[in-house]
Amino acid sequence: MAQYLAAIHHPDNYDSSVEGEAMQRESPSTQMSNQLTRRDFAIRTAGFGLAGFNLAWGLAPAAALAQQASRSETSPAIADPYSLVDPELLPVLKQFPAVDLSLEMAVKFRQLPGAPPLAAPAPQPVERHIPGPPGAPEVRVWVVDPAPSEKGKPLLLHMHGGGFMMIGPGWMPQIQGIATDCHCVVVSVDYRLAPETRYPGSLEDNYAALKWVHAHAAELGIDRSRIAVGGESAGGTHAASLAIHARDRNEVPIVFQLLIYPSLDDRTGSSHPAPSAVGRFMWNASANRLAWSSLLGVPAGSSKVPVAAVPARVASVAGLPPAWIGVGALDLFVEEDMEYARRLVHAGVATELLVVRCAFHGFDLLVPDAEASQQFSASWKSALRKAFATGKAV
């Protein structure tokens, strides 16, 4: 959740009369018209001055839930956390101020401009609106097709990151790059955001998109036996949850799950205190408690959390599609990602795990030219291409 895009979602449980102009859904051309540099992002978010900022549509309860879930982290202190970071990643990281995420700040993040799509000859994103879950609004998806005239292409159903509450600003260039580099159709889901929409609303949106791509395989020019799901950070959470849900529903087969530093356990940073060596940069324990509490509607790490809502809490991972999981060694999610990989391996699920030394959450997005970032990206793209080339979901 290192970066965010201005994304305007219409909540499904608040009075539209109090909806401010900044929260109106913008047209795609307006939404993508301005690019925000990472340094500008850091400076602007640090200067919000949020004291006294009041939200009219009832977001405060989620903050209270996160406070209820808080636990003190009692592990040996690290004198200089920056000393643990890859030197190539360090200069850009130090441009980011330490900021404690709040719901008010999450709303402000939604208003920041995101990166426009890459210009042609990169494949251009096409906006579509598809049927949503029963009784819910339509779901907006973005379709990127690198070869419209070809048939039988593989497809990645992509879920974006952003802490369940926001959207990463590099969304469009990112999915364009995946489509080009992996020669697959990418359909990215603009699922409803927390805390306006609680679990299972976003899961239902993603599942509606999965059923839609499967049913419209001929129109999309795809091979319905080569559908993968994937995402980064919170998008990886959604992808893992979707793979579990699809397994249990047994309606749409999935060939592969691509989990890029996913958040898989709501207990991390709450009932499972974080070691002081991890989770110090870009996404920390307090942000994690807030994000999960906002999604779940109950305190993260508590006994009130529905088991089906959290991949790490699901009783069995048997029968899930093959997986690639990648995470930095300094990422708050490193232990839960390694544990999930262990469970998959023990269940007989073909699994690849990559832990990048001296790397923090979102390092590859923050410093894409670093050697560690390039190796990381090359690994998951290679795994996705191999899954498409060799795998067939049945």
Side-chain angles (χ1 to χ4, degrees):
M1 296 93 169
Q3 307 177 62
Y4 306 98
L5 167 70
I8 310 308
H9 285 250
H10 288 293
D12 53 9
N13 60 354
Y14 76 100
D15 185 351
S16 61
S17 66
V18 299
E19 182 179 24
E21 179 181 353
M23 293 302 294
Q24 300 291 336
R25 182 178 293 278
E26 300 171 348
S27 67
S29 59
T30 301
Q31 192 180 62
M32 302 177 196
S33 61
N34 299 312
Q35 187 165 12
L36 178 71
T37 67
R38 297 181 178 93
R39 188 171 187 278
D40 287 342
F41 169 83
I43 293 170
R44 289 171 61 176
T45 55
F48 277 157
L50 291 172
F53 185 81
N54 184 30
L55 296 178
W57 25 282
L59 301 186
L65 291 173
Q67 291 175 355
Q68 292 174 31
S70 177
R71 300 290 188 276
S72 62
E73 290 99 31
T74 57
S75 55
I78 303 296
D80 179 15
Y82 287 108
S83 68
L84 304 176
V85 178
D86 182 332
E88 198 173 2
L89 305 174
L90 198 53
V92 176
L93 175 64
K94 285 190 170 181
Q95 295 180 27
F96 279 70
V99 176
D100 286 330
L101 184 67
S102 65
L103 283 168
E104 294 89 349
M105 188 176 293
V107 172
K108 287 286 188 179
F109 278 139
R110 296 185 193 179
Q111 301 170 27
L112 296 177
L118 301 172
Q124 296 301 295
V126 176
E127 180 180 0
R128 299 285 299 269
H129 292 261
I130 66 172
E138 287 187 327
V139 178
R140 183 171 72 166
V141 300
W142 293 95
V143 181
V144 181
D145 188 344
S149 62
E150 290 186 20
K151 304 298 181 183
K153 298 181 293 290
L155 178 139
L156 174 68
L157 185 67
H158 172 264
M159 276 65 72
H160 64 76
F164 309 131
M165 301 178 287
M166 299 159 283
I167 300 178
W171 187 15
M172 291 305 156
Q174 182 178 9
I175 61 175
Q176 289 174 284
I178 296 172
T180 299
D181 295 343
C182 299
H183 198 72
C184 63
V185 176
V186 178
V187 174
S188 193
V189 189
D190 189 14
Y191 54 82
R192 286 170 291 170
L193 298 177
E196 301 94 324
T197 299
R198 310 286 193 185
Y199 170 83
S202 52
L203 173 61
E204 292 173 347
D205 289 350
N206 294 328
Y207 190 72
L210 178 64
K211 292 187 68 175
W212 180 80
V213 298
H214 187 261
H216 292 78
E219 174 191 346
L220 294 168
I222 67 162
D223 176 356
R224 64 173 58 183
S225 72
R226 293 193 293 161
I227 296 174
V229 298
E232 64 288 342
S233 197
T237 315
H238 286 306
S241 292
L242 181 58
I244 294 167
H245 192 63
R247 176 201 63 181
D248 295 345
R249 293 285 297 270
N250 196 29
E251 294 177 323
V252 179
I254 294 173
V255 72
F256 187 69
Q257 50 181 328
L258 175 65
L259 309 180
I260 301 173
Y261 34 78
S263 174
L264 300 173
D265 195 338
D266 67 290
R267 295 165 292 192
T268 297
S270 53
S271 55
H272 293 174
S276 61
V278 304
R280 301 295 293 267
F281 306 112
M282 309 312 300
W283 192 256
N284 59 25
S286 64
N288 208 46
R289 291 191 296 267
L290 174 64
W292 275 109
S293 299
S294 298
L295 175 69
L296 299 171
V298 297
S302 73
S303 60
K304 298 178 181 180
V305 172
V307 170
V310 182
R313 290 180 181 252
V314 173
S316 173
V317 295
L320 290 176
W324 184 95
I325 303 175
V327 64
L330 304 181
D331 195 316
L332 181 68
F333 306 142
V334 63
E335 290 187 310
E336 65 189 62
D337 288 357
M338 291 191 296
E339 172 61 15
Y340 198 69
R342 183 196 65 79
R343 291 185 65 200
L344 290 172
V345 169
H346 285 194
V349 177
T351 303
E352 181 177 357
L353 172 67
L354 175 60
V355 179
V356 181
R357 66 183 184 90
C358 305
F360 48 82
H361 189 73
F363 71 98
D364 59 319
L365 300 179
L366 199 65
V367 195
D369 295 331
E371 181 180 0
S373 301
Q374 293 180 342
Q375 292 175 349
F376 185 78
S377 298
S379 178
W380 67 254
K381 289 177 182 178
S382 175
L384 183 59
R385 287 191 293 263
K386 183 175 180 180
F388 285 147
T390 62
K392 290 280 185 177
V394 294

